[in-house]
Amino acid sequence: MSIRNFPLYEDDVEWWLACNEALDANRRYQGTAAGDEAELVAITNDYRMMLGRKALAINDLLVRAARGHSEEMSRMGYFAHESPVPRNATPSDRARNEGYAGSGIGENIARGKVGAQASHDLWLRSPPHHRNILGTDWTEQGTGRSGNGLIGYGELIIVKHSDRMLSAYAHNRKRLVSEGQTVAAGELLAEMGRDERNQALLHFEVRVNGAPQDPMKYLPKR
């Protein structure tokens, strides 16, 4: 417990308990959100709590809905909350398609070479997006990206090894696998990207229960 989240008044106890319940759930989170996706959840919760709003728990169904919309916008070349694909028409439709049973869905979207903090800062300067971040009815959130145009990670591939463990490969030039595909050890996943000096780029992470790990412990010995 820190001074930041210690309840000073009796009326704050409910807020404090709700925030800690959400933050504890996020620490135990074993889903697929990684990198900027996970970072944006933490940034959002810090901001909400600073202004007296309750922290939000990560929901992997919402992560998948958000990521799917990002990928669809990138693939189809549009930028909007309304999808031209009938079954994905609204944020609520996309959440339901992933199996989410909650009600009241909100959505903020950003594009271009922006990461988690830059997206958050951009939304703070827009009153409708700012109000959405601070919505009092929200209890859960999910963040997703297509990988394209993100200055921090570029084209991203996440491999789910188990319910606890995933690996991430960033700065790819071209994917060689599709979402949901089963892959085997040694199979090619992507073509590596290059920087402005034409040097090969690769960012590799291993995460267990959402926490970064030393990848050398999981790589085969040479």
Side-chain angles (χ1 to χ4, degrees):
M1 184 182 298
S2 66
I3 293 177
R4 188 185 72 167
N5 63 13
F6 187 84
L8 298 177
Y9 304 102
E10 185 176 351
D11 291 344
D12 293 332
V13 173
E14 181 184 355
W15 171 87
W16 177 79
L17 291 174
C19 287
N20 277 272
E21 182 178 357
L23 296 178
D24 285 344
N26 292 349
R27 282 189 286 269
R28 298 191 303 270
Y29 172 74
Q30 299 179 13
T32 61
D36 281 345
E37 294 174 335
E39 183 183 356
L40 185 54
V41 170
I43 291 171
T44 300
N45 278 337
D46 282 346
Y47 188 75
R48 285 177 59 87
M49 293 176 67
M50 180 178 68
L51 295 183
R53 298 294 195 267
K54 295 176 181 178
L56 307 176
I58 306 175
N59 186 297
D60 216 47
L61 299 177
L62 296 177
V63 171
R64 296 208 300 265
R67 188 184 296 137
H69 187 51
S70 295
E71 292 174 343
E72 183 187 276
M73 288 191 293
S74 177
R75 183 173 63 253
M76 299 182 67
Y78 75 93
F79 182 70
H81 296 291
E82 297 77 27
S83 168
V85 179
R87 73 184 303 270
N88 297 330
T90 68
S92 294
D93 291 331
R94 297 189 286 272
R96 283 196 297 269
N97 290 342
E98 294 297 338
Y100 185 70
S103 60
I105 303 294
E107 181 180 75
N108 285 351
I109 55 177
R111 64 178 172 181
K113 293 186 176 181
V114 293
Q117 187 64 59
S119 296
H120 178 77
D121 293 343
L122 182 69
W123 294 329
L124 294 189
R125 296 193 292 272
S126 167
H129 293 91
H130 191 199
R131 287 194 295 270
N132 201 25
I133 289 172
L134 294 175
T136 56
D137 294 332
W138 307 142
T139 57
E140 298 175 303
Q141 66 175 318
T143 57
R145 62 180 179 208
S146 69
N148 295 319
L150 292 173
I151 196 168
Y153 290 88
E155 183 71 38
L156 177 72
I157 293 177
I158 296 176
V159 178
K160 185 176 181 181
H161 300 272
S162 69
D163 290 338
R164 299 178 58 249
M165 180 179 173
L166 60 84
S167 56
Y169 307 78
H171 299 302
N172 302 298
R173 186 182 74 84
K174 179 182 178 182
R175 300 187 197 186
L176 301 179
V177 293
S178 57
E179 184 176 359
Q181 179 179 337
T182 300
V183 297
E187 186 172 346
L188 292 179
L189 304 178
E191 296 177 2
M192 292 177 64
R194 293 185 176 274
D195 64 14
E196 66 278 2
R197 295 170 295 177
N198 202 35
Q199 295 180 334
L201 285 175
L202 174 66
H203 177 84
F204 174 63
E205 283 189 17
V206 175
R207 289 179 176 253
V208 176
N209 293 336
Q213 306 292 310
D214 179 359
M216 297 304 296
K217 296 189 300 183
Y218 299 91
L219 295 175
K221 294 182 180 180
R222 294 184 179 274

